[in-house]
Amino acid sequence: AIVPVICALLAKKDFATASEKINSALDSVLIISIPAFLGFLFFGGEIARFLFPTVTSGDNESVVNMLMFVGSMNVLLISIVGLTSACLQCMNKLYAPALGMFLGCLAKIFISIVLVGYLGIVAGMIASLVCYLIVACINLRFLGAEINISFANAPVYMLASVAFVAVAYILRFFLSEMFGVFGTILAIGLAGGVYILLLWFFMLRTNKLFGQN
């Protein structure tokens, strides 16, 4: 969705506004992806059991838990890769994400071959994680050479996300006894409301949310 806006600004040589819009979009991505990453990290197994009860039964449960744990970081990385790739495309630097994906795929193939005999399907998830980490780093490197990328608000989003996880953990102990696995999902939803309130409080106190000054 941001591509037409950024392309129009760059066509007008309005680099300052384009930089502001990109950082605002990056803030939006982090606001959603950071709590999602922590949510899957700590509650991924229970979310999977709620959505796919037959798949996660028996011996498969430990494998699913490990896959969700390792793969949770990809929520954050894929979000960053998607945004930065779109921005680089607007700057006629599509070779940057292409280079990152090429190197990432090479690393993914190598890691899969080396680890699949030891870790099985989990090796594929680790390889995917490394792949997107490489792409994200390369994208940010090329994008940072063109504009001033700011992660100034990221610590606030992380602290609010930690509070979200803590509240969800506390609520889960009470709700899971009454509602089972659904209690965890309900706890996550209620804790999400706390996360939104914390962000709203931060916006009122600093007026810096979404790149505002």
Side-chain angles (χ1 to χ4, degrees):
I2 197 178
V3 171
V5 177
I6 301 301
C7 288
L9 292 172
L10 292 177
K12 298 175 183 178
K13 307 297 183 182
D14 190 353
F15 298 104
T17 306
S19 176
E20 180 183 337
K21 292 293 184 182
I22 291 173
N23 279 303
S24 177
L26 184 59
D27 261 4
S28 301
V29 165
L30 294 178
I31 282 174
I32 298 173
S33 60
I34 289 178
F37 148 59
L38 291 180
F40 278 109
L41 181 67
F42 290 98
F43 304 107
E46 292 174 80
I47 293 173
R49 283 195 294 275
F50 175 75
L51 295 175
F52 312 105
T54 58
V55 177
T56 56
S57 61
D59 296 335
N60 294 331
E61 183 175 355
S62 60
V63 177
V64 171
N65 290 342
M66 181 59 68
L67 288 175
M68 297 295 286
F69 181 83
V70 176
S72 61
M73 188 65 182
N74 270 340
V75 176
L76 179 60
L77 293 176
I78 292 174
S79 300
I80 294 175
V81 167
L83 173 63
T84 53
S85 295
C87 294
L88 288 167
Q89 179 182 348
C90 294
M91 298 175 179
N92 292 322
K93 295 184 180 295
L94 192 57
Y95 60 85
L99 172 64
M101 189 59 69
F102 173 73
L103 295 177
C105 286
L106 288 181
K108 182 175 182 178
I109 293 171
F110 175 77
I111 293 173
S112 297
I113 293 174
V114 172
L115 296 181
V116 70
Y118 301 96
L119 301 177
I121 192 174
V122 178
M125 187 61 72
I126 295 174
S128 179
L129 177 62
V130 174
C131 173
Y132 282 109
L133 178 61
I134 292 173
V135 180
C137 290
I138 291 178
N139 280 8
L140 289 171
R141 174 65 181 84
F142 278 93
L143 190 61
E146 301 295 326
I147 66 168
N148 182 27
I149 301 176
S150 175
F151 288 95
N153 293 332
V156 175
Y157 307 149
M158 181 60 73
L159 287 175
S161 298
V162 170
F164 151 72
V165 171
V167 171
Y169 250 108
I170 294 172
L171 292 176
R172 185 187 64 167
F173 284 114
F174 299 99
L175 296 176
S176 59
E177 294 183 2
M178 294 183 289
F179 303 103
V181 177
F182 181 74
T184 299
I185 306 303
L186 184 58
I188 292 173
L190 294 174
V194 174
Y195 176 73
I196 293 174
L197 288 175
L198 288 173
L199 291 181
W200 177 71
F201 177 75
F202 170 65
M203 181 177 63
L204 290 180
R205 291 294 300 272
T206 66
N207 200 31
K208 291 183 178 180
L209 200 62
F210 297 111
Q212 297 175 7
N213 295 316

